[in-house]
Amino acid sequence: SDWRMAGHRGALIVLEGADRAGKSTQARRLVEALRNQGYQAEGMRFPERTTEIGRLVGSYLEKKSNIEDHTVHLLFSANRWEHVPLIKEKLKSGITLVVDRYAFSGVAFTSSKENFSLHWCKQPDVGLPKPDLVVFLNITPEEASKRGDYGTERYETSDFQKKVQKRYAELMDDKSLNWKVVDAAQSMEDVHNAIKQLSEAIITEARHQPVGKL
Ligand code: DGP
Ligand code: NA
Ligand code: NA
């Protein structure tokens, strides 16, 4: 085991943000950079489309199927819950997890639909392992649109993404979570360096604390 982490747990780091903020690229780069620094680190993403539940969610996002809105919300959450044993095992063994989207995407996206309260949307994810750090990659809808057109999946319209952005802002009022906002309009390198610095600090801090619960 690694000298930096021997006997200590890994940190749970989540990247959130609207589509086109650069989460997936930054998540990949962060894992790479942490490994180069001698940390044990692995990536994870939600939805994880390869499980049975994940395939249902994937087919819904690709508009190959329609699923009732409450039902699909619970499936997205179930897709996170089915990974909890793995998440706990990895953290315990000293691996830092860099997660591309988590419960906050669930709440921000579903609550952007008509007639869904933030409160209702949060409930299925209550009890999930709590991230030690949630990095919010902040990009204005204007900046996001400069990065080219949205894709063709469900939710990929600028109207919907604007609502999602507002919901994230409400979620960031929750001071029981360690939200850090990073300006995603900076160069890819500057964004990376900011996230890396926040992550290294939290790995050191989290290793002495038990994993919390949402
Ligand atoms: P991607 O991160 O590119 O694999 O896209 C996943 C899409 O699904 C993206 O538009 C965000 C959305 N999403 C992620 N998690 C949830 C969730 O828990 N609930 C809902 N309704 N949408 C989600
Ligand atoms: Na997407
Ligand atoms: Na992504």
Side-chain angles (χ1 to χ4, degrees):
S1 78
D2 189 83
W3 63 273
R4 289 174 193 250
M5 292 305 297
H8 294 301
R9 76 163 173 98
L12 183 57
I13 297 170
V14 168
L15 301 194
E16 285 283 0
D19 288 354
R20 313 211 67 95
K23 288 181 302 301
S24 303
T25 307
Q26 291 295 342
R28 237 183 349 259
R29 289 201 59 186
L30 178 60
V31 169
E32 204 175 287
L34 291 175
R35 286 181 176 168
N36 287 340
Q37 300 279 69
Y39 296 101
Q40 296 184 77
E42 289 182 18
M44 200 178 258
R45 64 176 314 156
F46 292 111
E48 172 46 70
R49 302 188 195 203
T50 59
T51 66
E52 282 179 66
I53 294 167
R55 277 193 288 279
L56 292 173
V57 166
S59 138
Y60 169 81
L61 287 170
E62 291 168 31
K63 299 177 187 163
K64 288 179 179 156
S65 65
N66 288 314
I67 303 177
E68 192 276 330
D69 289 325
H70 301 78
T71 310
V72 83
H73 184 71
L74 298 175
L75 289 175
F76 273 106
S77 178
N79 183 233
R80 290 183 281 275
W81 276 107
E82 67 180 339
H83 287 87
V84 168
L86 185 65
I87 292 173
K88 287 186 171 168
E89 186 187 304
K90 299 263 184 202
L91 295 178
K92 196 175 169 196
S93 73
I95 298 167
T96 284
L97 291 176
V98 176
V99 185
D100 182 356
R101 296 191 186 282
Y102 199 54
F104 318 103
S105 281
V107 179
F109 279 75
T110 300
S111 70
S112 294
K113 299 176 178 179
E114 294 292 319
N115 300 319
F116 281 88
S117 71
L118 225 45
H119 178 76
W120 187 88
C121 292
K122 282 181 180 176
Q123 299 316 304
D125 290 307
V126 168
L128 281 181
K130 183 178 180 171
D132 299 295
L133 169 67
V134 191
V135 176
F136 183 74
L137 291 182
N138 193 32
I139 187 161
T140 62
E142 292 70 33
E143 277 296 327
S145 72
K146 280 187 205 156
R147 296 184 176 186
D149 291 337
Y150 288 111
T152 56
E153 287 203 334
R154 210 179 281 270
Y155 307 141
E156 294 184 325
T157 66
S158 62
D159 275 359
F160 195 80
Q161 296 288 325
K162 277 178 197 158
K163 289 183 190 156
V164 169
Q165 196 86 351
K166 282 190 192 132
R167 295 306 199 161
Y168 272 125
E170 288 176 59
L171 291 178
M172 282 189 272
D173 288 340
D174 182 351
K175 302 303 175 210
S176 76
L177 282 156
N178 184 22
W179 284 99
K180 299 284 182 197
V181 179
V182 170
D183 177 7
Q186 300 174 93
S187 74
M188 206 204 283
E189 203 58 32
D190 288 348
V191 174
H192 170 67
N193 287 329
I195 300 175
K196 190 175 136 217
Q197 205 167 2
L198 292 167
S199 299
E200 289 198 77
I202 210 66
I203 290 170
T204 305
E205 213 178 294
R207 63 186 179 182
H208 301 296
Q209 297 163 3
V211 181
K213 283 183 181 184
L214 282 185

